[in-house]
Amino acid sequence: MANRTLKESQDVVDQYISQFKEGYFSPLAMLARLTEELGELAREVNHHYGEKPKKSSEDKKTVEEELGDMFFVLICLANSLNIDLDDALKTVMHKFETRDKDRWTKKEGETTHE
């Protein structure tokens, strides 16, 4: 798969969901699903980087797979609410680059990305 912009990713997900009569779930249902996926991601991170190894009977999942599941549901939620994720990211980055610009210790020679 080629690299995609957030907008292209939103379009791909929308094309996929649009083929079904049910369409997008309600925002509340998607929030519950996002929470469920976050729990699965936390479990995988704990298995790989924490103190709790997987049982031999557990499915082989990866952190990448769980992040992908979260990303899909997040895109579904954004699409259902007509939120452009590129705009949302620009807004949050502006906040971090202004309000929080002096909050962390910068590496020598580093500048902000605009």
Side-chain angles (χ1 to χ4, degrees):
M1 234 190 266
N3 290 334
R4 292 190 177 117
T5 65
L6 286 173
K7 174 67 174 131
E8 290 167 339
S9 295
Q10 284 188 260
D11 289 344
V12 166
V13 169
D14 193 57
Q15 288 170 12
Y16 174 76
I17 296 295
S18 294
Q19 67 182 321
F20 304 108
K21 290 180 183 180
E22 295 82 1
Y24 290 105
F25 295 143
S26 71
L28 189 57
M30 282 190 277
L31 184 58
R33 174 111 188 270
L34 192 59
T35 302
E36 176 186 331
E37 296 298 347
L38 179 59
E40 292 176 14
L41 174 61
R43 185 174 179 85
E44 284 304 307
V45 168
N46 193 26
H47 287 318
H48 290 280
Y49 305 103
E51 290 72 40
K52 186 178 179 191
K54 273 191 180 190
K55 297 176 189 171
S56 59
S57 61
E58 288 183 286
D59 289 342
K60 295 231 182 243
K61 291 188 178 177
T62 64
V63 171
E64 180 180 4
E65 181 181 349
E66 296 305 337
L67 278 171
D69 288 347
M70 284 194 65
F71 190 51
F72 178 82
V73 177
L74 185 64
I75 289 173
C76 287
L77 180 59
N79 284 355
S80 75
L81 298 172
N82 295 313
I83 293 172
D84 181 314
L85 287 173
D86 281 314
D87 289 344
L89 182 59
K90 285 177 195 169
T91 299
V92 76
M93 288 308 300
H94 177 73
K95 177 176 66 175
F96 284 119
E97 292 170 348
T98 55
R99 183 193 73 187
D100 295 338
K101 67 182 170 95
D102 297 320
R103 186 172 186 178
W104 311 107
T105 307
K106 289 192 177 157
K107 296 177 182 178
E108 301 252 346
E110 294 289 321
T111 58
T112 59
H113 301 87
E114 292 181 23

